[in-house]
Structure formats: C-alpha cells, structure tokens
Amino acid sequence: AQSVTQLDSHVSVSEGTPVLLRCNYSSSYSPSLFWYVQHPNKGLQLLLKYTSAATLVKGINGFEAEFKKSETSFHLTKPSAHMSDAAEYFCVVSPRLYNQGGKLIFGQGTELSVKP
Amino acid sequence: GAVVSQHPSWVICKSGTSVKIECRSLDFQATTMFWYRQFPKQSLMLMATSNEGSKATYEQGVEKDKFLINHASLTLSTLTVTSAHPEDSSFYICSARYRNQPQHFGDGTRLSIL
C-alpha cells in the first residue's frame, strides 16, 4: 500500500529564514514524488517532481527537495522564505516510477505562514 | 507550460438545481482527466478518473448518478452535479494529463448550494 505523511500541519517562519516542510512516503514500488502548492481558492501548482536517480530536485521559486530512499523522505526546502510563499503545500506520490500521471496519493497538507 | 482552465470559478445556486463545471486543457491533449473534491482545510479527494471517449471510473463512495462526468474530447471534460443539495457545497478541482506526464490542475470551482 502507498501512503504519504506530512509531518507538520502548520509551519510558521519569518521572511528571509529557511523553510523546511517534511514528507515521508510509503510505496511498494519506486515511486514518483511531487510537491504541489495551493494558494487560497486556487488549484494546485507543481513545484517540483522526482522521477529519476537525481536525488536532489530543483523546482520553481527557489524550492528544492531531496529524495532519501533510506529514510523514505522527500522534504521540501527553500533557503529564504518570501511573503508570497505563504500557502498550502502538498506532498504527493504516484506509486510507480515513470508513471508520473497515474492516480495520485496526497498528503494532508502543510500550511506555511510567513511572518514579516 | 501546460494550462488547465476550469469554469466557472464560483457558482451559487438553489437546492435542487443541476450545475455543470467545465475543465479544459488549453495547450495540450488531455488523455486523462481527474475530478477532485476538497473540503476546507483538507486535502484533495479523488472523485473520478475519465479517459477521453470512455466512461469515467468513480472512486468508492462517490455516487455516479449524482456526479455525472463526460469526457467528450481530448480537451474538455465536464462534471455535472445533479439535483444539488447543501451537502454538495465544496471546492471542486479538475486536473488533466497527457499520457504519463504529471497532472496539471485547474483553479477550482467553489460551489455553494443554498
């Protein structure tokens, strides 16, 4: 069975400080992993995706994530938070590698707040 | 980048009416489209998956007669909420993908049933 756990429901940081959003996954197969961001009353925007051997994945808006198979983790980071980063973030797994568009399994989301 | 347009973005209607939501892929052919429902402060719940030209596959617990899905072309899928009631009020989001590429999401539709 596949599952995704986002370890924090809410994270608050100050503008200019680093961001860490934690995600652990469980998958019987080599998965595809994604991070999506959702701003209020909007759909989801793809931040980055992991589908290959490159364990450090760079995404848009300065975000990156590191795939650690031994820890079954895919944490999202950003060196310096911006006010516009305040949003809901979803860690998502698609169970099979190279099937990036199959049925997605969503984490429960992490709300990121950025203080001025 | 891939763009998915969802319309309307907000709809308010009376109980008992039917509401149609459109999802269009603007710059790619969507071989598969997905419909999700999202409750406040919660994650997305997959309702159904539709492939162009075939019947939608509904997730367990989703009433297919209540939520009618049509995927008539490679760029358009519609979700019709039939005889809507207040408990159907929610945020509905569609996504589309081309073959095994990542899903691209619409901006969602806020449905409020009075």
Side-chain angles (χ1 to χ4, degrees):
Chain A
Q2 290 77 35
S3 66
V4 178
T5 302
Q6 291 181 243
L7 300 172
D8 306 291
S9 59
H10 186 253
V11 170
S12 181
V13 300
S14 297
E15 189 175 21
T17 64
V19 176
L20 170 64
L21 305 183
R22 298 182 295 165
C23 173
N24 286 105
Y25 72 92
S26 172
S27 178
S28 304
Y29 307 96
S30 296
S32 295
L33 292 159
F34 310 84
W35 276 98
Y36 284 90
V37 61
Q38 184 181 33
H39 289 91
N41 294 309
K42 291 290 188 180
L44 276 66
Q45 181 185 18
L46 180 65
L47 281 178
L48 49 80
K49 62 182 180 183
Y50 165 80
T51 57
S52 68
T55 58
L56 184 62
V57 181
K58 294 188 182 298
I60 62 171
N61 301 336
F63 285 96
E64 61 182 39
E66 186 171 7
F67 173 70
K68 291 187 177 180
K69 187 175 182 179
S70 61
E71 299 177 9
T72 61
S73 69
F74 191 56
H75 301 334
L76 181 71
T77 61
K78 182 173 180 177
S80 177
H82 192 272
M83 295 297 291
S84 61
D85 295 327
E88 189 82 16
Y89 291 79
F90 292 98
C91 182
V92 181
V93 64
S94 182
R96 285 189 177 274
L97 193 63
Y98 303 124
N99 184 2
Q100 305 173 41
K103 186 181 291 189
L104 300 179
I105 299 168
F106 286 81
Q108 286 304 303
T110 298
E111 182 180 5
L112 175 64
S113 299
V114 182
K115 297 175 290 186
Chain B
V3 178
V4 175
S5 173
Q6 192 171 336
H7 179 80
S9 57
W10 199 295
V11 59
I12 302 173
C13 61
K14 293 181 179 180
S15 184
T17 60
S18 293
V19 179
K20 180 183 284 187
I21 302 170
E22 291 188 349
C23 180
R24 294 181 184 272
S25 58
L26 298 185
D27 55 357
F28 68 100
Q29 293 185 327
T31 51
T32 308
M33 287 186 167
F34 303 83
W35 287 96
Y36 297 85
R37 185 172 180 176
Q38 186 179 30
F39 292 101
K41 300 293 185 183
Q42 293 189 26
S43 189
L44 277 69
M45 179 188 76
L46 180 65
M47 300 175 65
T49 302
S50 74
N51 293 296
E52 185 265 340
S54 60
K55 289 184 178 180
T57 301
Y58 290 81
E59 295 299 300
Q60 190 172 8
V62 178
E63 300 176 59
K64 59 181 67 176
D65 294 330
K66 160 68 78 173
F67 300 101
L68 299 179
I69 291 171
N70 183 278
H71 192 166
S73 75
L74 283 171
T75 59
L76 174 65
S77 176
T78 60
L79 167 67
T80 301
V81 184
T82 62
S83 187
H85 292 284
E87 58 267 27
D88 299 323
S89 298
S90 193
F91 192 57
Y92 293 87
I93 303 176
C94 73
S95 72
R97 67 162 175 162
Y98 173 72
R99 293 187 178 176
N100 287 335
Q101 296 302 306
Q103 294 183 30
H104 297 277
F105 289 80
D107 273 348
T109 297
R110 175 75 57 195
L111 175 62
S112 296
I113 309 298
L114 303 177

